[in-house]
Amino acid sequence: MTTNIATTREQSARLLQCGVDPDTADMSWVRGAANVSDGNLSLHPYRRMQRINWQSMRGRSEIAPAWSLSALLGLLPKKIMNGVSRIYTVEIAYSHTFNDAPWTINYEGNGLNKNAHFNGKSPIEACVKAIEWLTANNYKLNQL
């Protein structure tokens, strides 16, 4: 079993398409000018790595944001409102029942659309799916 400590480049691109601010990324993917691989994960925040890239590499490195699980969880609103009076709270769960996607992010409450349940093979993927749904439905993310 492989584990990821941050979003993949593909997941990061999906978050950027949703309008997630790259400055909220607490890690970054870095690929130097001569590097032909997918790049290396840096534990430095995206904003800092961009500054280092321009100061020392003169912009020759490709820097992409990466979010850790804790950063993603920090972006998820703990409660969302549907209309004026209905409040739905977030729940994060793991279930052996769904072997292909055991991690779930749920927004629970009476009357909420069934699309508010997001499964993934990892908790990071479940968070990315939840953020995609939240932004598509005009819910605001938390600001870090």
Side-chain angles (χ1 to χ4, degrees):
M1 178 175 119
T2 62
T3 58
N4 294 332
I5 63 167
T7 54
T8 64
R9 284 179 170 271
E10 185 266 339
Q11 289 167 328
S12 294
R14 287 167 48 200
L15 292 172
L16 292 173
Q17 285 179 330
C18 292
V20 176
D21 184 355
D23 286 341
T24 61
D26 58 341
M27 300 173 127
S28 50
W29 286 102
V30 180
R31 179 169 42 197
N35 192 344
V36 293
S37 72
D38 282 343
N40 297 313
L41 184 64
S42 170
L43 299 178
H44 295 295
Y46 173 72
R47 181 180 232 167
R48 180 176 181 200
M49 286 308 296
Q50 274 194 314
R51 191 170 48 248
I52 291 169
N53 183 36
W54 285 106
Q55 289 172 349
S56 62
M57 295 291 294
R58 296 189 181 106
R60 292 188 304 256
S61 293
E62 178 187 333
I63 312 293
W67 286 265
S68 69
L69 178 59
S70 62
L72 293 172
L73 291 173
L75 289 171
L76 290 176
K78 305 304 176 239
K79 295 180 179 181
I80 58 174
M81 297 253 331
N82 187 9
V84 177
S85 62
R86 296 184 188 248
I87 298 174
Y88 306 99
T89 56
V90 70
E91 171 190 87
I92 301 159
Y94 178 83
S95 172
H96 292 292
T97 307
F98 306 105
N99 288 335
D100 58 332
W103 291 96
T104 305
I105 304 283
N106 295 318
Y107 278 93
E108 295 289 338
N110 291 335
L112 189 62
N113 182 328
K114 67 179 179 179
N115 293 331
H117 304 279
F118 313 98
N119 294 66
K121 289 185 177 186
S122 71
I124 289 175
E125 178 61 20
C127 286
V128 171
K129 287 180 178 179
I131 288 170
E132 288 173 326
W133 181 83
L134 288 164
T135 57
N137 287 282
N138 297 317
Y139 290 107
K140 293 193 181 230
L141 301 176
N142 294 331
Q143 298 298 316
L144 300 179

